[in-house]
């Protein structure tokens, strides 16, 4: 297959929090893969910054260990790894003080693309932005990359936006939602807007409802204190599920171009109706033999934070009037499975002697694992015995369909970092989008607090609390099975 990868220019990528968890798990191994793919041109450098006093060699050791632990099969390429590590430098820095900034200013070059990755706590975004500006390390063409959580409510998100806007234009700010970097999430746009088949049916005349599920088997891991202060609503729904909802529901943008796409996403969020308290279920996983409960995991015996949410929401516009969107996400569930299912309406009239309500076309977009798309269609049950109908998937599993020609799927982070260097903001959240998402989320969280709703316990390895099943059953529908 002829590679159509868009080339990047030489760059200096500065990672604040360069020795932290995200840098070690995702950023450094991802950059090594891009390096091997020929996407770090001669002259491209990665500069780690953190508080620890250390020299370049110390940082390279950290990167080597991180790639050995979190990298893929490419980590056995010793020569490649040595060449990649040569591109790494390190500057010890005090991000809220003055130490180290002059050294960084001396190192960062003016004649290459300059990108600054804020892989640090959000309270440090403002101080770093200010110092980059003060020491003239960044200019009007530089890019900054910030991670979630981008605020914990509308007000804090506005404060963060204002702190960044004091020194950088919106066109320079890349807010990461790593779900947008996933291959199949982008495929969602390719399928919708690259085929004649779907768009004519993509509305309330043909679609009965849409389900979005992001189920995880992991618990809260070592992030208990952050997670317990956030809960699934802030950790997953406000950002990742909201982004999926936007891509599935947005109007076709005039072009596949950053602001055209983001304008359409913003309209979806703004059209979201408030969630009725009857339409939302919060859950918390219980303990199981040999496996701690949520409360044990977060070391908070009285925690009422949710590790699961299921909700029904509606988009108040012409396209989607009357079409419910069911969203659910949870930890310690029966399988790791993220899927968007577009369930089409039943036939208006049938010529067959069967209950056609049982036969539905369902377009299912599997984000992970086993990325792919399938379309459930009704066919004749093969063999003699009369005209009986059967639903089968037209399955397009990407790994099979693309065979040997497919490039190994890049991790979301490496794809997004390269987009930063290219200056393409399409897969990043704009400030107004994030604020609109919080404006919708805040009343949901506040309403729950006012009502004092406690999360429903659910068994580990299940599909969540029973009430989540009821959310669908009462509408005469059912959730798709969660299959890994
Ligand atoms: C993160 C959340 O943003 O996404 C985590 O903070 C969650 O709680 C993770 O586990 C899920 O990402 P992925 O790519 O594994 O689906």
């Amino acid at each position: 297959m002829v590679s159509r990868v868009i080339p990047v220019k030489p760059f200096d990528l500065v990672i604040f929090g360069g020795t932290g968890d995200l840098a070690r798990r995702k950023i450094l191994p991802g950059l090594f893969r891009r390096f091997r793919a020929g996407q770090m041109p001669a002259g491209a450098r990665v500069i780690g910054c953190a508080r620890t006093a250390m020299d370049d060699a110390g940082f390279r050791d950290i990167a080597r260990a991180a790639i050995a632990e979190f990298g893929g099969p490419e980590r056995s390429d010793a020569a490649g790894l040595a060449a990649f590590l040569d591109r790494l430098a390190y500057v010890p820095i005090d991000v809220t003080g003055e130490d180290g900034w002059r050294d960084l200013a001396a190192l960062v070059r003016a004649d290459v693309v300059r990108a600054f990755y804020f892989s640090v706590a959000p309270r440090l975004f403002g101080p770093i932005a200010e110092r980059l500006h003060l020491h003239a390390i960044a200019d009007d063409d530089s890019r900054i990359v910030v991670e979630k959580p981008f605020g914990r409510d509308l007000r804090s998100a506005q404060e963060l936006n204002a702190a960044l806007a004091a020194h950088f234009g919106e066109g320079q700010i890349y807010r990461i939602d790593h779900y947008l970097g996933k291959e199949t999430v982008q495929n969602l746009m390719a399928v919708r807007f690259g085929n004649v088949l779907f768009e004519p049916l993509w509305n309330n005349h043909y679609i009965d409802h849409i389900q979005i599920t992001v189920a995880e088997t992991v618990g809260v891991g070592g992030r208990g204190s952050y997670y317990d202060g956030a809960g699934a609503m802030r950790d997953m729904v406000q950002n990742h599920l909201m982004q999926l909802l936007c891509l599935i529901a947005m109007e076709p943008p005039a072009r596949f171009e950053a602001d055209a796409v983001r304008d359409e996403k913003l309209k979806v969020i703004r059209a979201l109706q408030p969630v009725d308290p009857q339409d939302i279920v919060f859950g918390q996983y219980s303990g199981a033999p040999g496996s701690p409960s949520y409360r044990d995991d977060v070391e908070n015996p009285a925690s009422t934070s949710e590790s699961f949410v299921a909700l029904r929401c509606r988009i108040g516009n012409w396209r989607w009037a009357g079409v419910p969107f069911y969203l659910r996400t949870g930890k310690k569930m029966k399988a790791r499975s993220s899927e968007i299912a577009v369930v089409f309406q039943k036939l208006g009239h049938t010529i067959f002697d069967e209950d056609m309500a049982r036969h539905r076309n369902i377009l299912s977009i599997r984000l992970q694992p086993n990325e792919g798309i399938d379309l459930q269609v009704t066919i004749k049950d093969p063999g003699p015995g009369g005209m009986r109908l059967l639903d089968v998937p037209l399955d397009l599993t990407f790994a099979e369909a693309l065979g040997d020609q497919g490039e190994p799927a890049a991790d979301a982070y490496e794809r997004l970092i390269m987009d930063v260097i290219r200056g393409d903001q399409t897969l990043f959240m704009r400030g107004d989008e994030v604020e609109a998402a919080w404006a919708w989320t805040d009343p949901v969280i506040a309403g729950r607090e006012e009502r004092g709703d406690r999360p429903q316990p659910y068994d580990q390895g299940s599909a969540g609390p029973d009430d989540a099943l009821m959310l669908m059953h009462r509408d005469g529908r059912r959730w798709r099975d969660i299959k890994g």
Side-chain angles (χ1 to χ4, degrees), residues 148 178-179 182 216 218 223 226-227 235-236 240 331 336 368:
K148 64 165 282 218
H178 78 280
Y179 266 61
K182 289 184 190 280
E216 298 184 275
V218 292
R223 302 155 69 230
Y226 150 74
Y227 191 91
D235 184 53
M236 296 294 288
H240 305 324
K331 297 210 181 275
R336 177 169 187 254
Q368 59 196 26

Side-chain angles (χ1 to χ4, degrees), residues 178-473:
H178 78 280
Y179 266 61
L180 290 177
K182 289 184 190 280
E183 182 74 19
T184 310
V185 174
Q186 292 163 66
N187 236 316
L188 187 54
M189 287 185 275
V191 166
R192 269 195 73 188
F193 304 128
N195 293 285
V196 76
L197 286 184
F198 300 111
E199 204 44 33
L201 306 181
W202 215 257
N203 56 51
N204 58 359
H205 298 294
Y206 295 99
I207 292 178
D208 177 73
H209 73 279
I210 291 180
Q211 302 186 17
I212 302 179
T213 298
V214 177
E216 298 184 275
T217 49
V218 292
V220 294
R223 302 155 69 230
S225 75
Y226 150 74
Y227 191 91
D228 202 37
M233 196 68 203
R234 288 189 179 93
D235 184 53
M236 296 294 288
V237 178
Q238 183 272 345
N239 40 69
H240 305 324
L241 276 83
M242 179 73 77
Q243 290 297 321
L244 300 180
L245 175 77
C246 285
L247 296 180
I248 203 99
M250 71 184 183
E251 295 299 314
R255 292 182 53 75
F256 188 64
E257 180 271 324
D259 277 331
V261 171
R262 298 187 301 176
D263 286 345
E264 297 306 335
K265 283 163 58 193
L266 178 63
K267 286 184 208 161
V268 173
I269 305 175
R270 289 193 172 149
L272 267 175
Q273 296 179 342
V275 177
D276 190 302
Q278 313 268 341
D279 289 348
I280 186 160
V281 176
F282 298 95
Q284 196 184 69
Y285 60 82
S286 315
S291 183
S293 67
Y294 173 82
R295 290 177 175 186
D296 291 337
D297 272 344
V298 300
E299 296 173 2
N300 178 2
S303 172
T304 56
S305 296
E306 74 283 358
S307 57
F308 174 97
V309 184
L311 62 86
R312 182 178 75 167
C313 60
R314 291 182 186 277
I315 299 171
N317 63 20
W318 276 59
R319 185 187 286 264
W320 297 115
V323 178
F325 286 74
Y326 298 91
L327 275 49
R328 77 182 152 163
T329 182
K331 297 210 181 275
K332 291 261 176 149
M333 298 188 67
K334 66 191 275 200
R336 177 169 187 254
S337 164
S338 299
E339 183 205 58
I340 302 171
V342 179
V343 181
F344 290 90
Q345 292 181 3
K346 60 181 194 239
L347 286 178
H349 169 73
T350 176
I351 60 170
F352 303 110
D353 195 14
E354 288 218 19
D355 172 12
M356 290 309 284
R358 290 195 308 118
H359 299 285
R360 293 290 181 104
N361 293 129
I362 301 176
L363 178 69
S364 142
I365 299 134
R366 296 188 303 271
L367 306 184
Q368 59 196 26
N370 196 20
E371 288 100 330
I373 290 179
D374 73 58
L375 178 64
Q376 178 175 295
V377 291
T378 301
I379 60 164
K380 179 188 166 297
D381 198 353
M387 189 65 169
R388 289 162 293 121
L389 302 179
L390 178 70
D391 290 340
V392 290
L394 281 178
D395 190 352
L396 178 65
T397 298
F398 294 147
E400 286 167 19
L402 300 174
D404 289 334
Q405 294 187 326
E407 309 217 345
D411 180 83
Y413 277 93
E414 52 193 281
R415 181 192 313 276
L416 293 174
I417 292 171
M418 287 300 125
D419 279 358
V420 173
I421 305 294
R422 286 189 197 101
D424 183 351
Q425 289 187 303
T426 313
L427 300 177
F428 296 84
M429 294 178 298
R430 212 168 53 191
D432 50 6
E433 226 185 298
V434 179
E435 290 185 12
W438 280 120
W440 177 80
T441 310
D442 278 0
V444 177
I445 294 173
R448 176 185 173 211
E449 280 164 9
E450 274 160 32
R451 295 190 304 276
D453 280 1
R454 301 181 73 75
Q456 318 267 319
Y458 64 94
D459 291 338
Q460 297 185 19
S462 73
D466 290 345
D467 282 4
L469 304 180
M470 289 310 297
L471 195 67
M472 278 278 191
H473 287 177

